[in-house]
Amino acid sequence: MTTKPDHGYSLDASLSRPNRLGSIARDGGINFALFSNAAERVEVCLFDETGQQETARIALPAMEGGIWHGFVEGIGVGQRYGYRVHGPYDPENGHRFNVNKLLLDPYARALMGDIVWDDALHGYKVGEDDLTFDDRDSAAFMPKGVVVDDNHQWDNSAALRTGWDKTVIYEAHVKGLTMKHPGVVQADRGTFAALASDPVLDHLNKIGVTAIELLPIHAYANDRYLIEKGLSNYWGYNTLSFFAPHQGYLEGADIREVKTAIDRFHAAGIEVILDVVYNHTCEGNEMGTTLSFRGIDNESYYMTGEDKRHAYDTTGTGNTLNVKHPMVLRMVMDSLRYWVEVMHVDGFRFDLASTLARGEDGFDRGGNFFATIRQDPVLSAVKLIAEPWDIGDGGYQVGGFVWPFREWNDKARDDIRAYWRRDDSMTAPLSERLSGSPVQFDHDNRPATSSINFVAAHDGFTLWDTTAYNDKHNEANGEDGRDGHDNNLSDNLGAEGPTTDEAVLEARRRRVKAMQATVLLSQGVPMILAGDEFGQSQDGNNNAYCQDNDIAWLDWDAADDSLIRSFSATTALRRDLGHIIDPKFARGDDADDRTTAWVHPTGRDMEEGDWHDGGLRCFAKRITTPGDREVMMIFNAGDAAEFTLPEGEWTKVLDTSADDPATQDAVADTLNVDWQSVVVLTQATKAA
């Protein structure tokens, strides 16, 4: 049955469906569906092409199961819209409905316009408490949802599915990677077009990257307090929409730019992993804004305290998304499947993943969120990575997640930094990290590729800065140095910051190359921060979340080619010696007779007392696989040392102390291992 109310648009009840949420263009109109369990009335507001003029306000006529829906005839792809939701304004009982606030559809797959910060964006009267009610209209200050067409002609529609044992991850920022790249067209810089340009793809292929992990590309809010300080939310960990891409990364307004970029990455043999933030949104706590979820159904979308008025926060951002609610969980799953099935991404890294696993009694590794993903035939087949901590009680959970999740391993980061900084008694901890951190991950049938090994990430010092600064230098953030980590395990090697002292620079280069090689030669999955392959510095800023400028943008013109050669040589060696990365943890009863031995510089096996020798700075890992090459990896954090080799002739295939680390030198008996270096030797296994 079709009706035509006063707003002039026809509503066809026979075509209205609650089964698919969001705005879906079909059959000569749009089906709108929005979940709000406690609402009394839901209106969809249509806007003109500018997004500024409201052209109609249409009450969705049907509701079932808390899903309000209606089919509006005569409109289609490109329509701008938002919602107004009627209901009680009763903060003490968790309800914050305010019909004066235009609300963004949680399922909007494209946005038009940015947030214009104004007090009208708050549901209460700013300057008074949150129990007050603000009746100003917020529409003029809000972005609008845009109805999209999902059709796209893919060139490379098949997923790559690169094995974890062959994966090398490159953590990057869409804008920061491309803004200063001399080979990228100036007009494209900072966008997906630049990200997937030939110069960037050629570089990633050259250095052996198999997957790019992008800092958040979901639409996010540029925080008001940062704008007022002349800064911005550069990293993007403040999600506004879980479906729409961030407009600032598009040249135009067409989300097909994202699909085209992903297509080009796949053609280059590189997977695309998204860093996703499903633990909180940009609306903050009860004193925050009303942009979407809060005004749609605050009690359902957010975790609240016992009194329901106050937000429950385990993320440090003011709120926590309530993924325990089945419809909120559905929204997240719908978002994930959308990015896999429609946008063709290859995996996700979950920010503050411990929050997503919180149950009534704290962290629950078997909770609904992860159980739902594990049983999902689409999502369980892609790459899944957890950041295994949050700031709540019991939030640090490295090793606590379940297969098929991999985890960021900050223990590897810290132990690798400490070993190469020449801290005492670090040989035993480093051997753990080289072995894939079995104490953390060798349980519940988890593979030896469970650990994502890294020595630097977006949050903290760059790898170069760990060798160039003793202390953080975050003055540009405007927080008087209070922000950012203090325990950086760094060492400036004789000069704080930039220097022309060639001895200091050589020491820095050696340490960087050695740490890179350690990550790449360890069991598990290596991840490198974009720019670390050529010595990127952030001037000692270890919390560049708000620095959308030269501090955080990669300085390609200052790239150190010797570091690039070392990184490329080590990734090539990792590929060539594929058997050194074993999906199984090493055990004495391995059926394939693969053996791992730890070797002292004198040539004998490491003994119990050696692991407690605080001053030992050099040791080796020896891997033997029947029918293949034998490999010995020497890690020397100290001064130049003589290393006694096992009998026979060996081939030195990597020496990070050299300007060109890739080599094919025959050696035997003893080997001089230069200071602060990694050396890899191979030998053909003797026939039985």
Side-chain angles (χ1 to χ4, degrees):
M1 181 177 112
T2 300
T3 60
K4 193 168 185 179
D6 293 342
H7 48 66
Y9 287 92
S10 298
L11 295 170
D12 190 338
S14 69
L15 292 175
S16 182
R17 299 287 186 274
N19 57 302
R20 189 175 175 190
L21 292 160
S23 55
I24 309 301
R26 58 173 175 81
D27 302 320
I30 298 174
N31 192 84
F32 293 98
L34 178 77
F35 170 75
S36 179
N37 193 56
E40 297 168 353
R41 174 183 169 94
V42 172
E43 296 172 314
V44 61
C45 299
L46 306 182
F47 289 82
D48 66 5
E49 290 186 355
T50 69
Q52 294 301 308
Q53 183 66 42
E54 183 176 320
T55 59
R57 192 175 297 191
I58 306 167
L60 297 183
M63 188 277 285
E64 54 184 282
I67 298 176
W68 299 77
H69 60 99
F71 185 87
V72 184
E73 295 182 332
I75 56 176
V77 170
Q79 178 65 56
R80 280 69 164 154
Y81 73 102
Y83 285 109
R84 296 182 188 272
V85 181
H86 300 249
Y89 189 80
D90 184 8
E92 292 180 320
N93 286 300
H95 300 306
R96 295 181 179 273
F97 296 100
N98 187 332
V99 71
N100 300 292
K101 310 306 169 184
L102 187 76
L103 305 172
L104 188 66
D105 181 2
Y107 279 73
R109 287 171 289 165
L111 304 185
M112 176 188 184
D114 297 315
I115 296 172
V116 178
W117 290 109
D118 188 271
D119 288 350
L121 294 171
H122 294 259
Y124 66 94
K125 295 178 180 178
V126 175
E128 302 182 38
D129 69 32
D130 63 301
L131 299 178
T132 59
F133 184 82
D134 186 275
D135 59 6
R136 287 173 292 181
D137 195 317
S138 67
F141 311 107
M142 280 290 296
K144 312 303 187 293
V146 181
V147 180
V148 303
D149 180 359
D150 284 337
N151 292 323
H152 183 74
Q153 187 62 47
W154 293 90
D155 291 330
N156 297 276
S157 59
L160 296 176
R161 295 289 190 267
T162 304
W164 279 111
D165 58 329
K166 297 177 176 62
T167 295
V168 177
I169 299 172
Y170 188 82
E171 190 198 25
H173 187 283
V174 172
K175 189 173 184 180
L177 182 65
T178 62
M179 279 301 290
K180 299 178 71 174
H181 196 301
V184 173
V185 176
Q186 184 77 39
D188 291 346
R189 293 180 185 181
T191 69
F192 280 100
L195 182 73
S197 64
D198 287 340
V200 173
L201 295 175
D202 290 347
H203 174 75
L204 297 182
N205 282 144
K206 174 184 176 181
I207 65 174
V209 165
T210 71
I212 187 167
E213 181 178 304
L214 298 173
L215 268 68
I217 67 166
H218 287 169
Y220 60 84
N222 199 359
D223 308 68
R224 185 175 188 173
Y225 83 95
L226 290 174
I227 291 175
E228 290 173 350
K229 292 198 300 182
L231 301 170
S232 65
N233 183 0
Y234 173 64
W235 286 348
Y237 289 94
N238 212 8
T239 306
L240 175 64
S241 171
F242 296 119
F243 290 81
H246 182 60
Q247 295 176 81
Y249 301 153
L250 303 176
E251 288 187 305
D254 193 338
I255 65 169
R256 285 179 294 184
E257 294 177 36
V258 184
K259 297 180 180 181
T260 299
I262 293 170
D263 214 2
R264 286 182 55 80
F265 271 101
H266 289 170
I270 299 171
E271 294 182 302
V272 178
I273 299 170
L274 301 187
D275 192 338
V276 288
V277 188
Y278 294 112
N279 56 78
H280 74 279
T281 78
C282 65
E283 290 185 299
N285 62 17
E286 63 275 3
M287 303 302 291
T289 50
T290 297
L291 308 173
S292 180
F293 312 94
R294 174 162 290 126
I296 293 171
D297 192 346
N298 180 74
E299 187 184 26
S300 294
Y301 282 100
Y302 292 120
M303 294 179 67
T304 59
E306 291 183 4
D307 61 359
K308 292 193 175 183
R309 173 183 173 185
H310 298 97
Y312 180 72
D313 179 18
T314 64
T315 66
T317 63
N319 66 60
T320 303
L321 202 66
N322 184 21
V323 294
K324 293 185 294 183
H325 191 290
M327 292 302 293
V328 179
L329 178 61
R330 174 182 169 178
M331 177 188 69
V332 174
M333 296 302 145
D334 285 348
S335 168
L336 291 168
R337 280 188 289 266
Y338 172 77
W339 284 98
V340 173
E341 295 183 304
V342 178
M343 305 299 278
H344 288 200
V345 303
D346 303 280
F348 305 95
R349 178 264 190 189
F350 293 88
D351 179 65
L352 299 184
S354 293
T355 290
L356 302 172
R358 285 191 175 273
E360 296 298 332
D361 299 317
F363 180 82
D364 178 9
R365 66 200 304 266
N368 284 346
F369 182 86
F370 293 107
T372 302
I373 289 179
R374 292 180 73 194
Q375 62 78 43
D376 188 288
V378 173
L379 300 180
S380 62
V382 302
K383 286 184 164 64
L384 302 169
I385 302 169
E387 182 185 37
W389 50 75
D390 64 20
I391 67 166
D393 291 341
Y396 185 78
Q397 291 290 334
V398 172
F401 287 76
V402 290
W403 182 90
F405 281 84
R406 272 58 180 178
E407 300 177 35
W408 271 26
N409 187 357
D410 64 336
K411 293 182 181 294
R413 175 199 65 196
D414 292 350
D415 287 347
I416 292 169
R417 287 189 185 186
Y419 178 81
W420 290 104
R421 194 175 66 167
R422 302 188 178 190
D423 288 10
D424 287 344
S425 303
M426 289 305 303
T427 52
L430 187 68
S431 72
E432 280 280 313
R433 308 312 161 204
L434 293 169
S435 302
S437 301
V439 171
Q440 282 72 41
F441 298 106
D442 188 9
H443 58 82
D444 297 310
N445 297 315
R446 298 189 74 180
T449 53
S450 295
S451 174
I452 303 294
N453 300 316
F454 64 101
V455 74
H458 68 274
D459 186 4
F461 274 152
T462 67
L463 181 54
W464 182 264
D465 283 355
T466 67
T467 71
Y469 294 91
N470 285 340
D471 304 301
K472 65 185 180 184
H473 295 269
N474 296 357
E475 292 79 10
N477 294 356
E479 298 181 41
D480 298 322
R482 293 186 301 272
D483 64 304
H485 302 294
D486 291 315
N487 182 30
N488 295 291
L489 295 168
S490 61
D491 174 14
N492 67 23
L493 292 166
E496 186 75 357
T499 181
T500 58
D501 188 322
E502 187 52 43
V504 173
L505 292 172
E506 175 61 15
R508 291 176 179 176
R509 280 191 290 267
R510 288 205 179 200
R511 186 167 290 180
V512 164
K513 291 191 288 184
M515 287 193 282
Q516 283 181 344
T518 305
V519 170
L520 289 166
L521 295 173
S522 295
Q523 292 292 324
V525 181
M527 183 185 79
I528 181 177
L529 173 64
D532 278 354
E533 75 274 23
F534 60 66
Q536 172 72 10
S537 173
Q538 291 179 171
D539 302 330
N541 191 317
N542 74 349
N543 190 30
Y545 77 102
C546 57
Q547 298 298 330
D548 187 4
N549 50 47
D550 285 343
I551 290 175
W553 297 344
L554 268 59
D555 188 356
W556 293 88
D557 288 337
D560 186 325
D561 289 337
S562 70
L563 298 183
I564 295 175
R565 285 192 294 273
S566 183
F567 186 84
S568 302
T570 312
T571 56
L573 183 63
R574 181 183 170 94
R575 291 193 303 273
D576 184 46
L577 303 178
H579 62 272
I580 68 172
I581 306 302
D582 193 341
K584 296 188 300 181
F585 282 104
R587 296 190 183 92
D589 59 352
D590 277 353
D592 60 5
D593 293 328
R594 171 189 165 97
T595 62
T596 298
W598 302 96
V599 185
H600 191 272
T602 60
R604 59 174 172 78
D605 285 351
M606 291 279 285
E607 299 172 352
E608 183 64 27
D610 297 325
W611 296 115
H612 301 287
D613 180 353
L616 185 63
R617 303 276 188 264
C618 181
F619 72 118
K621 180 180 181 181
R622 182 180 180 180
I623 301 171
T624 303
T625 303
D628 206 338
R629 285 174 288 185
E630 187 165 345
V631 181
M632 189 158 72
M633 300 177 286
I634 304 173
F635 302 89
N636 181 22
D639 298 332
E642 185 176 82
F643 204 102
T644 300
L645 301 177
E647 65 179 17
E649 185 172 283
W650 292 78
T651 301
K652 182 168 69 171
V653 293
L654 183 79
D655 184 350
T656 64
S657 69
D659 186 57
D660 189 352
T663 182
Q664 286 288 322
D665 294 337
V667 295
D669 301 326
T670 61
L671 175 69
N672 184 64
V673 182
D674 216 341
W675 56 280
Q676 292 270 291
S677 66
V678 175
V679 174
V680 180
L681 310 170
T682 64
Q683 183 185 69
T685 303
K686 295 179 181 178

